[in-house]
Amino acid sequence: AVAVAAAMLSLDFLDDVRRMNKRQLYYQVLNFGMIVSSALMIWKGLMVVTGSESPIVVVLSGSMEPAFHRGDLLFLTNRIEDPIRVGEIVVFRIEGREIPIVHRVLKIHEKQNGDIKFLTKGDNNAVDDRGLYKQGQHWLEKKDVVGRARGFVPYIGIVTILMNDYPKFKYAVLFLLGLFVLVHRE
Amino acid sequence: LRKNVEDFTGPRERSDLGFVTFDITADILNGKKCMVFFLTCIHLQSIFDWNVKQLFLYLSAEYSTKNNALNQVVLWDKIMLRGDNPRLSLKDMKSKYFFFDDGNGLKGNRNITLTLSWNVVPNAGILPLVTGSGHVSVPFPDTYETTKSY
């Protein structure tokens, strides 16, 4: 019975599409393209304003609990005028690894010319991050930093984690969204 | 080696922060390392409103050496959740993290400044870093301690 209902629903959709003439269909496709471009522009704009290559990140681990939990969303800035100081929460990448880490700065040593090396530690970890760095690497540098956490919103990032862990879920969401935009009369 | 005893209070616009007494005992075990003991009485009030989930408190030492124009080292930190006792009375605390310098800049360094700061973690929103008013300067002696005495 479920299969029959699904078949009937999809037929309904197709009828709607057939009723639209070609011009309306092209219009819908353009609309869709506009939405995607606007989203991209907003994202790029955020990158420029914050100075960070990834202005919004999702917390993936529990190493900063109880402040941040898996699924929390962090807003980052990475302006050069803001120097790195202890106590700040930084998002950094270790050379050769793709996944960025969100931890707090524990120590900094900065030279006269602005060269800085620093050490990090997760609030919920017992030891500092030296064990996580590359073999032979004892400090992080400015180039490893993706951004500094300036604000956050809890829970919302869970959607991204779900989409990563269950790719079928991601495809289903994208498919439904695309379908909705294409078919919706307005 | 008792190096320094200071007494000061500092009011802030959002809270009353009182720093009462400060004992610092510094032992330099080798060229780079030192253990710092301290006695502090801290009182944090009215920072905790409905949107404050926790405070991440940390005591940091800031100083300058020949090698590096600016060094900052966190000696101790604590997570204080909303609902925890806002009065902290810590006596004779050992530093939580090793106070290593990048080089031998602690020997004879007359001006190490210790400040207490905190990161306000809201339920949602901006994550500010606030520095408590008042700080203590600690000088380190010119010679190394050869015996372990902590």
Side-chain angles (χ1 to χ4, degrees):
Chain A
V2 174
V4 173
M8 288 184 61
L9 273 173
S10 59
L11 278 178
D12 260 348
F13 275 136
L14 291 175
D15 273 350
D16 254 342
V17 173
R18 261 184 250 126
R19 261 182 257 135
M20 279 195 268
N21 62 30
K22 268 198 189 148
R23 179 177 280 146
Q24 276 182 306
L25 192 63
Y26 292 149
Y27 186 74
Q28 292 292 63
V29 172
L30 272 177
N31 246 346
F32 184 68
M34 262 208 14
I35 294 179
V36 172
S37 312
S38 307
L40 268 173
M41 273 177 62
I42 292 177
W43 184 249
K44 289 283 172 188
L46 265 180
M47 279 171 64
V48 170
V49 163
T50 63
S52 165
E53 63 183 64
S54 186
I56 305 184
V57 294
V58 178
V59 175
L60 292 173
S61 76
S63 56
M64 282 296 279
E65 287 181 19
F68 307 134
H69 299 85
R70 237 172 91 84
D72 290 348
L73 215 64
L74 291 176
F75 298 93
L76 312 180
T77 66
N78 196 24
R79 302 206 187 89
I80 310 185
E81 323 83 79
D82 287 334
I84 300 176
R85 295 289 174 251
V86 288
E88 290 192 335
I89 301 171
V90 294
V91 178
F92 59 91
R93 243 192 223 110
I94 299 176
E95 259 176 85
R97 310 243 188 97
E98 213 187 274
I99 316 252
I101 302 179
V102 185
H103 282 170
R104 200 182 289 273
V105 177
L106 192 72
K107 290 189 182 166
I108 68 163
H109 295 290
E110 184 176 63
K111 295 214 182 294
Q112 189 81 22
N113 62 7
D115 282 348
I116 189 169
K117 55 188 183 188
F118 61 97
L119 178 65
T120 55
K121 174 181 170 295
D123 289 352
N124 207 19
N125 293 344
V127 296
D128 60 42
D129 291 345
R130 283 234 166 87
L132 288 176
Y133 299 164
K134 215 169 60 152
Q135 183 82 321
Q137 179 186 12
H138 297 297
W139 303 95
L140 288 174
E141 291 162 27
K142 259 188 254 188
K143 62 175 177 59
D144 301 310
V145 174
V146 173
R148 255 72 65 69
R150 298 296 181 211
F152 100 108
V153 177
Y155 310 129
I156 304 227
I158 291 262
V159 178
T160 315
I161 293 185
L162 278 176
M163 296 217 287
N164 257 325
D165 287 348
Y166 305 106
K168 294 206 182 121
F169 179 66
K170 172 161 72 173
Y171 299 139
V173 169
L174 287 174
F175 178 71
L176 283 171
L177 270 176
L179 206 62
F180 179 74
V181 172
L182 275 175
V183 163
H184 195 65
R185 282 296 189 94
E186 261 110 72
Chain B
L1 283 165
R2 188 148 297 182
K3 283 276 112 181
N4 213 342
V5 177
E6 278 212 18
D7 199 310
F8 53 88
T9 55
R12 314 259 311 149
E13 46 289 7
R14 280 178 67 191
S15 70
D16 280 340
L17 179 69
F19 243 63
V20 176
T21 337
F22 220 92
D23 263 357
I24 294 190
T25 311
D27 276 344
I28 301 184
L29 296 179
N30 60 44
K32 296 189 200 182
K33 192 164 88 154
C34 98
M35 280 288 189
V36 177
F37 303 73
F38 51 88
L39 161 86
T40 66
C41 179
I42 315 169
H43 178 46
L44 299 145
Q45 191 185 44
S46 66
I47 287 188
F48 283 105
D49 60 29
W50 60 274
N51 193 25
V52 174
K53 184 161 77 170
Q54 75 174 56
L55 291 186
F56 185 89
L57 300 143
Y58 55 100
L59 184 83
S60 57
E62 184 170 319
Y63 59 97
S64 209
T65 64
K66 215 161 36 107
N67 265 349
N68 294 296
L70 174 68
N71 303 275
Q72 287 183 330
V73 179
V74 173
L75 297 176
W76 168 93
D77 56 36
K78 179 176 168 56
I79 294 179
M80 177 185 279
L81 300 168
R82 188 157 110 229
D84 282 354
N85 189 355
R87 268 167 220 262
L88 284 178
S89 173
L90 308 158
K91 302 185 192 327
D92 276 338
M93 302 279 298
K94 261 205 288 213
S95 71
K96 216 177 182 191
Y97 306 110
F98 288 123
F99 189 167
F100 271 106
D101 181 35
D102 175 39
N104 297 327
L106 288 180
K107 171 174 158 185
N109 196 323
R110 291 274 162 245
N111 195 9
I112 316 258
T113 312
L114 279 104
T115 38
L116 185 73
S117 316
W118 55 91
N119 186 198
V120 182
V121 181
N123 282 316
I126 310 228
L127 293 153
L129 277 177
V130 181
T131 308
S133 61
H135 58 266
V136 174
S137 264
V138 183
F140 277 122
D142 291 328
T143 55
Y144 297 135
E145 284 267 323
T146 46
T147 54
K148 262 197 202 182
S149 53
Y150 62 97

